[in-house]
């Protein structure tokens, strides 16, 4: 596979977050509008400059045209509303970059907004067994991602001897990062004892193996490289991306659940960008659960297959380690903005704005979206 | 009076692709889709063979015997119908006939703490309503 033809043709020019909380007291529209306007203003632009939108959701958010109407965007040249999961944490920005690079639009806002804690809780839609997978799962009480990823995790533990403490090391490390992040929903550190004492959710997962549901929104502005260079911040270029899988893209029928989509998408990503895992200075990896991180670290080549547990326990993923990972605390400890927040943190790091979390000299950042049988990643860099 | 009022867990909604499986269970049989051209078992049921793309699909009985590929013990009780009974096991059982034939299921007749990856299992048929087994 060749280098991506749109390498460095687009860049992130603006980012924004709302407050992350357990009860926003606001409508999802208010959160979306605040994040979008914040990112537009961060770029040094106005709504009159915006001509594209992307959002993704699990039936818990507001659509692009409603947001465009609320903000007063006078004309739109391209827009996409996606019903989909965390893989769109990278996929949504990828799509915006493709639209901008193709000339379909020039200034594209990408957002994720939800009252994920106080409002519509993920996985709590009145479940129906009419879905293709659901009729095989719901009769047996198998329903939500904390169960699916726990099921996958067990195979890694059985095959490689990965332990609860290995998973705990991920949770503890990311919680430490969150204590340096004023936005994070968790502000207090956690010890391994705290992690192990927490209640079971789905063995092998305990409470802190699971992401923290929150209310909040994040947005980024994607524009052309040339336009970005004329705006407020140093551009964070989108160098390349990969998105998909190899194998049965099925949560129940994947061939080897001790591996993830990253075993293939990693290869594609490095070929598309001409990089390797060693070139990445900071990695914001989709961490709906601790094991989601472990599986992707192995697949992308940050450590050898099977060694993810000891790797995470060694300090390698800490802010001062070999590959600082989820420097904001991730979905586990900053909060579950469905992976959109990983893009904002990556850009913040590359701008040099991450304060006490700053990875010194960070020039190349990776963001992934998704876990399990399919997903994707983006590479950002500065020049 | 049927006992369907007492059964609180979700019942499957069979469709054109899955009807034969759920009707098979009522007879105490595990009936899967199988490609008549190449012999590949197709699960979850689908109208086309993912191995050879043939549309000539038939039914085939399997023993239901297999191995626990993986399992979890669910303690956080949010699934409808499962909120009163205490922690329960969900396993992915890999059937003997083909490596990617996996059925999500509960494990009965065994304590959660005794379930193991690689354990041999056999099917148990439970008539939960007059219509559904």
């Amino acid at each position: 596979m060749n280098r991506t033809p749109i390498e460095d043709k687009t860049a992130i020019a603006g980012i924004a977050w709302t407050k992350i909380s357990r009860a926003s007291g606001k409508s999802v529209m208010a959160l979306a509008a605040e994040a979008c306007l914040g990112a537009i203003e961060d770029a040094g632009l106005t709504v009159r400059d915006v001509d594209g939108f992307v959002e993704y959701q699990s039936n818990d958010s507001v659509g692009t045209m409603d947001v465009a109407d609320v903000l007063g965007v006078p004309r739109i040249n391209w827009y996409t509303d996606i019903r989909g999961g965390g893989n769109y944490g990278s996929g949504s920005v990828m799509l915006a970059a493709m639209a901008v690079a193709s000339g379909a639009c020039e200034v594209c806002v990408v957002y994720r907004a939800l009252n994920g804690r106080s409002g519509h809780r993920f996985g709590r839609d009145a479940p129906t067994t009419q879905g293709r997978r659901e009729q095989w799962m719901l009769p047996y009480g198998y329903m939500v991602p904390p169960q699916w990823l726990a099921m996958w995790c067990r195979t890694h533990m059985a095959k490689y001897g990965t332990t609860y403490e290995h998973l705990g090391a991920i949770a503890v490390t990311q919680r430490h990062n969150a204590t340096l992040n004023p936005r994070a929903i968790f502000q207090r550190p956690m010890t391994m004892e705290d992690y192990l004492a927490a209640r079971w959710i789905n063995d092998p997962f305990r409470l802190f193996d699971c992401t923290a549901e929150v209310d909040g929104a994040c947005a980024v502005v994607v524009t052309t490289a040339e336009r970005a260079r004329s705006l407020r911040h140093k551009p964070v270029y989108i160098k390349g991306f990969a998105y998909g899988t190899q194998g049965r893209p099925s949560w129940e029928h994947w061939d080897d659940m001790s591996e993830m989509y990253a075993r293939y998408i990693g290869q594609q990503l490095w070929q598309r960008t001409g990089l390797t895992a060693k070139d990445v200075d900071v990695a914001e990896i989709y961490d709906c659960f601790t094991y989601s991180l472990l599986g992707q670290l192995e697949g992308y080549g940050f450590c050898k297959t099977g060694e993810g547990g000891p790797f995470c326990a060694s300090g390698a993923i800490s802010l001062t380690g070999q590959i600082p990972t989820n420097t904001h605390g991730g979905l586990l400890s900053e909060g579950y903005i469905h992976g959109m927040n990983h893009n904002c943190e990556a850009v913040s790091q590359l701008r040099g704005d991450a304060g006490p979390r700053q990875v010194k000299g960070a020039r190349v950042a990776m963001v992934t979206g998704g876990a399990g049988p399919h997903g994707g990643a983006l590479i950002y860099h500065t020049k | 009076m049927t006992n369907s009022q007492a059964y609180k867990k979700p019942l499957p909604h069979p469709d054109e692709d899955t009807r034969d499986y759920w009707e098979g269970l009522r007879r105490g049989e595990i009936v899967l889709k199988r490609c008549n051209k190449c012999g590949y078992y197709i699960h979850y049921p689908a109208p086309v063979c993912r191995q050879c793309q043939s549309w000539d699909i038939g039914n085939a009985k399997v023993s239901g015997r297999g191995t626990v590929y993986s399992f979890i013990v669910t303690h956080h009780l949010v699934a409808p119908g499962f909120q009163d009974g205490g922690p329960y096991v969900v396993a992915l059982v890999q059937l003997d006939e083909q490596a990617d034939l996996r059925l999500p299921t509960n494990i009965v007749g065994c304590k959660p703490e005794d379930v193991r990856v690689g354990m041999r299992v056999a099917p148990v048929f439970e008539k939960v309503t007059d219509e559904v087994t």
Side-chain angles (χ1 to χ4, degrees):
Chain A
M1 184 148 281
N2 296 326
R3 296 283 278 270
T4 179
I6 66 167
E7 179 169 345
D8 292 351
K9 293 225 183 322
T10 66
I12 305 286
I15 59 175
W17 307 250
T18 65
K19 184 168 149 59
I20 294 173
S21 72
R22 290 189 177 85
S24 69
K26 298 179 178 173
S27 66
V28 179
M29 175 55 82
L31 297 174
E34 185 186 333
C36 290
L37 270 184
I40 294 164
E41 285 162 19
D42 182 58
L45 294 169
T46 74
V47 297
R48 279 164 293 287
D49 299 300
V50 174
D51 66 341
F53 280 95
V54 182
E55 61 93 7
Y56 61 106
Q57 63 170 286
S58 308
N59 202 31
D60 56 1
S61 193
V62 288
T64 57
M65 292 300 94
D66 290 330
V67 168
D69 188 35
V70 163
L71 295 183
V73 176
R75 53 86 184 82
I76 295 114
N77 290 316
W78 184 80
Y79 64 108
T80 291
D81 292 90
I82 301 168
R83 189 183 124 264
N87 35 296
Y88 287 100
S90 74
S92 59
V93 177
M94 173 191 78
L95 286 165
M98 290 163 69
V100 167
S102 76
C105 63
E106 189 175 324
V107 177
C108 188
V109 175
V110 185
Y111 69 89
R112 180 70 174 106
L114 72 170
N115 275 326
R117 183 76 170 88
S118 72
H120 185 110
R121 297 212 39 192
F122 186 79
R124 303 289 176 92
D125 270 334
T128 169
T129 56
Q130 286 176 353
R132 182 170 183 272
R133 278 177 73 207
E134 286 75 5
Q135 73 176 275
W136 302 96
M137 292 161 51
L138 291 181
Y140 303 102
Y142 194 48
M143 190 171 87
V144 285
Q147 294 174 302
W148 315 340
L149 270 307
M151 186 73 81
W152 282 51
C153 182
R154 173 85 66 196
T155 68
H156 199 278
M157 297 171 112
K159 189 167 180 181
Y160 297 112
T162 300
T163 66
Y164 296 124
E165 285 81 1
H166 289 145
L167 302 179
I170 294 169
V172 169
T173 304
Q174 290 192 202
R175 177 63 66 84
H176 170 76
N177 298 346
T179 67
L180 303 173
N181 177 2
R183 275 186 296 274
I185 193 70
F186 287 113
Q187 291 288 312
R188 285 196 303 272
M190 174 170 69
T191 63
M192 182 63 75
E193 288 68 39
D194 295 331
Y195 166 83
L196 291 170
R199 63 188 167 90
W200 287 110
I201 302 295
N202 301 289
D203 187 350
F205 287 168
R206 293 172 166 87
L207 180 65
F208 298 120
D209 287 295
C210 305
T211 182
E213 291 165 303
V214 295
D215 293 357
C218 292
V220 303
V221 173
V222 179
T223 187
T224 61
E226 191 186 331
R227 188 79 183 269
R229 282 192 281 273
S230 75
L231 297 175
R232 177 171 295 160
H233 296 280
K234 117 176 125 176
V236 172
Y237 297 96
I238 296 167
K239 189 173 175 69
F241 42 77
Y243 196 69
T245 192
Q246 183 182 56
R248 285 193 67 171
S250 158
W251 281 99
E252 283 75 61
H253 302 107
W254 178 261
D255 53 282
D256 182 351
M257 293 176 184
S258 71
E259 300 182 343
M260 291 190 176
Y261 77 91
R263 68 186 183 184
Y264 168 75
I265 287 300
Q267 294 171 35
Q268 302 308 304
L269 184 72
W270 307 135
Q271 286 177 38
R272 285 295 202 184
T273 57
L275 299 176
T276 69
K278 287 188 165 51
D279 297 310
V280 177
D281 297 318
V282 59
E284 315 299 359
I285 308 259
Y286 192 81
D287 55 326
C288 42
F289 306 96
T290 48
Y291 178 61
S292 312
L293 185 94
L294 196 159
Q296 289 176 80
L297 284 172
E298 290 184 0
Y300 283 110
F302 290 103
C303 65
K304 289 206 186 75
T305 301
E307 295 183 5
F311 184 75
C312 290
S314 72
I317 60 168
S318 75
L319 288 174
T320 52
Q322 173 184 325
I323 179 60
T325 299
N326 291 343
T327 53
H328 47 334
L331 302 177
L332 292 174
S333 282
E334 182 180 72
Y336 188 64
I337 314 278
H338 223 172
M340 198 63 214
N341 42 333
H342 287 27
N343 294 290
C344 293
E345 176 72 0
V347 170
S348 195
Q349 286 278 351
L350 295 188
R351 285 178 179 176
D353 286 347
R357 304 184 312 283
Q358 183 65 49
V359 174
K360 297 220 179 352
R363 298 284 297 278
V364 179
M366 177 167 162
V367 168
T368 83
H374 55 86
L378 292 159
I379 295 288
Y380 294 112
H381 73 131
T382 50
K383 295 193 177 166
Chain B
M1 260 311 141
T2 69
N3 63 358
S4 48
Q5 287 122 343
Y7 190 70
K8 291 206 196 97
K9 296 176 182 176
L11 295 170
H13 274 84
D15 56 45
E16 288 80 353
D17 297 327
T18 65
R19 201 176 312 281
D20 293 338
Y21 175 88
W22 296 106
E23 285 179 3
L25 292 192
R26 294 180 64 180
R27 301 190 300 271
E29 295 176 345
I30 298 180
V31 173
L32 302 183
K33 293 295 167 193
R34 191 174 196 189
C35 178
N36 289 325
K37 184 156 173 233
C38 74
Y40 179 80
Y41 288 96
I42 302 160
H43 203 70
Y44 294 128
V48 60
C49 176
R50 61 179 302 281
Q51 183 157 274
C52 74
Q53 290 75 47
S54 169
W55 290 81
D56 183 10
I57 309 300
N59 289 331
K61 221 170 25 168
V62 294
S63 69
R65 279 190 291 277
T67 311
V68 171
Y69 178 81
S70 187
F71 72 97
I72 59 173
V73 185
T74 292
H75 292 253
H76 186 52
L77 305 178
V78 293
F82 286 80
Q83 288 160 22
D84 297 333
Y88 61 94
V89 172
V90 183
L92 288 180
V93 169
Q94 183 167 307
L95 299 181
D96 289 343
E97 284 80 1
Q98 190 171 287
D100 65 345
L101 270 185
R102 299 212 199 94
L103 299 182
T105 185
N106 304 125
I107 302 289
V108 299
C110 175
K111 288 198 286 263
E113 54 266 31
D114 293 334
V115 178
R116 294 283 179 275
V117 169
M119 215 167 94
R120 295 288 301 163
V121 290
V124 166
F125 297 86
E126 188 190 348
K127 182 173 172 179
V128 297
T129 70
D130 286 347
E131 291 81 35
V132 179
T133 293

